Amino acid sequence: MGWFKRLREGIQTATKFKKETPDGLWFQCNRCKETSTFKDFKENYLKCPKCAYHARIGSHDYFDLIFDKSYEELFIQYRSSDFLEFNDLSSYQTRIEKAIEKTELNDAISVATGTVMKKPLTIAAMDFSFIGGSMGSVVGEKIAKAIDFCLEYKTPLLIISKSGGARMMESAFSLMQMAKTSAKLTQLARAKIPYFSLLTDPTTGGVSASFAMLGDINFAEPEALIGFAGPRIIKESIKQELPEGFQSSEFLLDHGFLDFIVDREDLKSTIAKLMDYLLIKAI
Amino acid sequence: MVFLDFEKPLEKLYEQLEKIQQVGEEGDVDVSEMLAEIEQKIKVKKKEIYSNLTGWQKVQLSRHPERPYTLYYIEQLFKTFTELHGDRKFGDDKAIVGGLAKMNGDSMVIIGHQKGINTKMRQFRNFGMANPEGYRKALRLMKLAEKFDLPVVCFIDTPGAYPGIEAEERGQAEAIARNLFEMVQLKVPILCYVIGEGASGGALGIGVGDKVFMLENTWYSVISPESCSSILWRSWDYKEQAAEALKLTADHMFEFKLIDGIVKEPLGGAHVEPENMAKALKRHIKKEISLLKEMTPEDRIQARIDKYSNMGKFIEVEPTPEPIEENSNPEE
């Protein structure tokens, strides 16, 4: 018999379930589990200072890494809507609202235009934190609008993919975004405007099977998961273990589907170099 | 005859019908009146069942074991057909067939998913799940069509592109993406028909065209109801709900303007009167190709880009104005 009566359950919380420290102070690596200060993480180009793991970062992190200084965000007016009234364990409407609140983003992609070493570039970057970076109508429309912008202002396009695939809650509408984005890319190709596709962790499903694989240059960050079917689905289908390194950036490079792999530290200089080869003039 | 669960009431009626027929054959009893009566009952019951099919029931019909597949239609539709094999890069995929065919004197290129008609053939055809070489064979045939100015007709019937180690090694994602990109700008007419299952990127990989039609009892979706149930409900048991939620029927797809039309099936499904189904399909193809041939290649391509660019539903919000700083804020 204890001397004290436990009034609240919270005291029993194990260390591993304890709330994380406030954002902006510490970075805990998802791979090596080591903790570093956020300052060190940032100075290391948002890679783990201990093991160089390329952490999953957001669209605006990429904008800050790649653009010279300032950039202008475009097409922020688009929002997803639950037009099919899709309900599974939660309603799609709730999922959208929660995602907007949690991420402070408008949807799973952000588009911005700016300069890279004084050369103009438009970037469409995806956010995995927004419903798994899934592609619904808004993602398709923003890519379409970004392509129209590139056609009008003659800027190259960089799409940074980070997505689990199509957004199921928009059913066939999300599927058709694959055709829509590919259709728009034919216009960019015909205008001979360069399209760079950067594949980051993860790029799978409908995103990999459409615009992500259609770059004039396809390149990826190290050790990203890239593939059509997710590893879990393949494992279930063939009922055997998957080989080591299967569907990694390195695996795709080896099989001829990537031009090269780039360290986040060299991302900006690499893009500038590509634009230079393809004769994009400074403004 | 194979009866699906929701067709069970019909099974009993058909059994009765058979018995009466037997009696009629054996003796001198006149059964014509009874026969007429039971036939009428079957007719009424059929109408009752098939006019109110749920999404899941249509999925079941689209997978009916007796449903006609691509090669059946090819045999019925065309006077001659020469199958062409291989992607010229790796191999020949058995889950996608294609070749040159002739209909009323006009040559065309036919491409379609093919499922097997028995256990052995189902394995041979990999259940209609194509590997990258299938999509690349399809693209090779489309380029052949373009070179010789022939229209392309695609039949879609797949539970999805194959998820396997080799498929990934050979670039399943790239193969599908490339087809989307090339089909948008192919100079010749492309007609697509969903004749069974239209699952995800595996269907779309041969499914971008000037006009896309669905047979009445088929489905088209970003994911199969089973997989959707497993991911969103975390259980395989919600496939019926998933089928409803996905709004995957031909009626829905047409209402959403994601397809261009629906081809009606015989009452009870294409497998009940496959020859009539094939005849209807033939008339449809003939008419649609002649309409598409009236357009210039440039106009067709532009119309394709415009059509797909318009797909998507979203809302636009007014940009939020900068918050006006007011000194009267009581919290300050």
Side-chain angles (χ1 to χ4, degrees):
Chain A
M1 203 163 95
W3 285 10
F4 301 100
K5 197 177 172 192
R6 204 182 286 281
L7 292 171
R8 288 160 71 175
E9 280 300 306
I11 298 166
Q12 284 179 320
T13 310
T15 316
K16 61 176 175 176
F17 292 125
K18 282 226 166 112
K19 280 213 154 192
E20 288 166 28
T21 49
D23 280 346
L25 281 177
W26 298 96
F27 162 77
Q28 195 193 19
C29 178
N30 252 342
R31 186 170 67 181
C32 70
K33 308 288 173 207
E34 292 283 330
T35 307
S36 319
T37 66
F38 194 79
K39 187 169 161 282
D40 287 348
F41 173 62
K42 212 169 169 191
E43 278 170 4
N44 198 34
Y45 299 88
L46 306 173
K47 298 180 291 178
C48 171
K50 305 270 167 36
C51 74
Y53 170 72
H54 285 56
R56 282 183 186 169
I57 57 174
S59 53
H60 289 76
D61 296 324
Y62 280 107
F63 295 156
D64 290 337
L65 274 172
I66 298 168
F67 285 128
D68 287 337
K69 258 189 205 147
S70 61
Y71 55 85
E72 187 193 345
E73 198 178 340
L74 305 167
F75 318 121
I76 53 173
Q77 69 271 37
Y78 298 108
R79 299 285 184 283
S80 294
S81 78
D82 185 12
F83 50 85
L84 296 178
E85 293 171 4
F86 194 102
N87 290 305
D88 49 274
L89 295 176
S90 145
S91 81
Y92 179 35
Q93 188 59 42
T94 315
R95 284 181 196 267
I96 298 166
E97 282 162 14
K98 273 194 183 156
I100 290 174
E101 197 188 301
K102 188 187 94 185
T103 62
E104 295 177 7
L105 294 160
N106 308 320
D107 210 281
I109 200 165
S110 301
V111 180
T113 190
T115 60
V116 179
M117 299 192 183
K118 296 193 178 124
K119 295 175 198 290
L121 178 72
T122 302
I123 305 179
M126 303 188 78
D127 282 282
F128 193 76
S129 57
F130 196 101
I131 318 186
S134 55
M135 169 161 66
S137 299
V138 168
V139 170
E141 181 68 12
K142 282 174 96 166
I143 288 177
K145 283 281 183 297
I147 290 169
D148 285 338
F149 184 89
C150 292
L151 286 166
E152 189 177 346
Y153 296 99
K154 307 266 176 274
T155 87
L157 174 68
L158 167 67
I159 300 184
I160 304 175
S161 297
K162 191 182 275 299
S163 167
R167 192 172 294 173
M168 269 175 280
M169 294 76 97
E170 293 190 23
S171 193
F173 281 94
S174 67
L175 178 66
M176 293 306 162
Q177 302 312 307
M178 294 170 66
K180 175 172 175 169
T181 51
S182 304
K184 292 299 292 184
L185 282 174
T186 65
Q187 293 184 311
L188 207 59
R190 210 173 313 166
K192 294 192 191 302
I193 293 174
Y195 162 42
F196 309 120
S197 174
L198 174 64
L199 295 84
T200 71
D201 186 56
T203 299
T204 58
V207 167
S208 70
S210 60
F211 58 83
M213 277 290 166
L214 293 173
D216 293 308
I217 310 287
N218 292 338
F219 58 126
E221 290 187 336
E223 296 171 273
L225 170 75
I226 304 167
F228 176 67
R232 197 176 55 86
I233 293 170
I234 299 174
K235 228 161 105 174
E236 271 174 24
S237 133
I238 60 168
K239 294 178 180 68
Q240 66 185 59
E241 286 302 307
L242 302 173
E244 180 101 4
F246 181 64
Q247 295 187 311
S248 65
S249 308
E250 294 71 18
F251 173 93
L252 268 94
L253 181 71
D254 204 33
H255 285 86
F257 294 101
L258 292 176
D259 288 287
F260 52 81
I261 292 171
V262 66
D263 191 288
R264 208 169 267 168
E265 188 175 341
D266 306 319
L267 193 50
K268 179 172 180 162
S269 60
T270 303
I271 291 162
K273 204 156 64 181
L274 290 177
M275 291 209 285
D276 187 51
Y277 288 133
L278 301 177
L279 312 174
I280 307 301
K281 293 197 176 67
I283 48 172
Chain B
M1 272 204 270
V2 178
F3 292 93
L4 302 169
D5 52 9
F6 61 91
E7 293 173 321
K8 288 293 172 207
L10 281 176
E11 188 170 14
K12 282 200 185 113
L13 289 173
Y14 272 105
E15 273 169 17
Q16 285 176 19
L17 183 76
E18 219 170 282
K19 271 184 198 154
I20 296 167
Q21 279 168 340
Q22 260 177 10
V23 172
E25 277 163 26
E26 279 165 9
D28 12 53
V29 191
D30 182 18
V31 290
S32 57
E33 220 169 275
M34 287 169 82
L35 273 180
E37 195 187 322
I38 204 93
E39 271 166 4
Q40 180 61 23
K41 269 191 190 168
I42 289 175
K43 216 171 137 188
V44 171
K45 197 82 207 161
K46 268 189 168 177
K47 267 227 170 100
E48 189 191 308
I49 291 176
Y50 297 114
S51 54
N52 292 305
L53 291 178
T54 66
W56 176 247
Q57 287 168 342
K58 290 208 173 186
V59 171
Q60 287 175 286
L61 270 183
S62 77
R63 297 170 177 166
H64 197 287
E66 290 161 349
R67 200 172 167 85
Y69 301 140
T70 294
L71 284 174
Y72 174 82
Y73 288 123
I74 286 177
E75 190 192 299
Q76 293 284 317
L77 259 49
F78 306 106
K79 209 169 168 201
T80 60
F81 172 69
T82 302
E83 188 174 352
L84 304 173
H85 294 272
D87 67 346
R88 300 291 187 273
K89 291 179 173 84
F90 176 80
D92 181 46
D93 195 297
K94 309 296 189 290
I96 289 183
V97 295
L100 286 159
K102 208 138 201 175
M103 182 191 277
N104 298 103
D106 292 329
S107 297
M108 50 189 77
V109 164
I110 313 300
I111 295 160
H113 297 105
Q114 179 65 33
K115 293 178 175 172
I117 48 170
N118 53 39
T119 310
K120 206 177 152 195
M121 289 306 281
R122 273 189 274 278
Q123 276 190 342
F124 178 72
R125 296 291 181 190
N126 201 25
F127 305 90
M129 294 187 285
N131 275 290
E133 50 274 21
Y135 296 102
R136 293 186 181 125
K137 169 166 73 176
L139 183 57
R140 179 177 77 84
L141 297 182
M142 287 180 224
K143 290 284 181 186
L144 185 78
E146 187 173 51
K147 181 172 177 182
F148 295 104
D149 202 19
L150 307 175
V152 177
V153 179
C154 294
F155 294 136
I156 294 154
D157 187 9
T158 181
Y162 185 60
I165 291 183
E166 294 84 4
E168 297 291 322
E169 283 175 345
R170 297 197 288 271
Q172 189 73 288
E174 194 275 344
I176 293 172
R178 185 67 49 205
N179 279 18
L180 306 182
F181 187 78
E182 294 296 340
M183 289 181 91
V184 167
Q185 47 185 342
L186 204 75
K187 293 193 182 78
V188 292
I190 309 178
L191 270 181
C192 302
Y193 291 87
V194 181
I195 59 166
E197 301 187 83
S200 192
L204 196 61
I206 58 165
V208 174
D210 299 296
K211 298 275 168 170
V212 180
F213 300 95
M214 287 171 75
L215 302 197
E216 192 184 346
N217 297 312
T218 62
W219 61 277
Y220 205 164
S221 165
V222 68
I223 190 165
S224 73
E226 288 91 341
S227 303
C228 181
S229 160
S230 125
I231 294 172
L232 290 182
W233 278 268
R234 298 187 190 101
S235 148
W236 294 98
D237 303 333
Y238 294 86
K239 50 187 195 274
E240 279 101 337
Q241 283 94 323
E244 292 310 312
L246 288 166
K247 299 197 165 55
L248 40 62
T249 64
D251 287 334
H252 280 125
M253 290 293 286
F254 185 57
E255 181 197 320
F256 297 150
K257 298 191 177 76
L258 298 179
I259 58 161
D260 300 283
I262 300 170
V263 185
K264 269 198 93 63
E265 291 184 20
L267 194 65
H271 61 284
V272 177
E273 298 164 32
E275 283 175 24
N276 286 338
M277 185 72 247
K279 271 183 200 150
L281 205 50
K282 185 171 180 172
R283 280 194 301 272
H284 202 275
I285 292 172
K286 238 174 87 181
K287 189 183 109 206
E288 291 299 329
I289 286 183
S290 67
L291 286 173
L292 285 174
K293 276 186 173 169
E294 285 170 16
M295 295 170 79
T296 65
E298 292 73 33
D299 287 349
R300 274 194 302 261
I301 293 167
Q302 190 57 49
R304 257 177 238 157
I305 294 174
D306 292 344
K307 178 174 90 165
Y308 285 102
S309 298
N310 279 326
M311 290 183 184
K313 276 195 185 179
F314 43 80
I315 41 180
E316 285 182 57
V317 295
E318 293 288 316
T320 30
E322 291 292 311
I324 303 157
E325 283 178 38
E326 280 179 48
N327 290 333
S328 58
N329 191 335
E331 279 178 26
E332 270 187 0

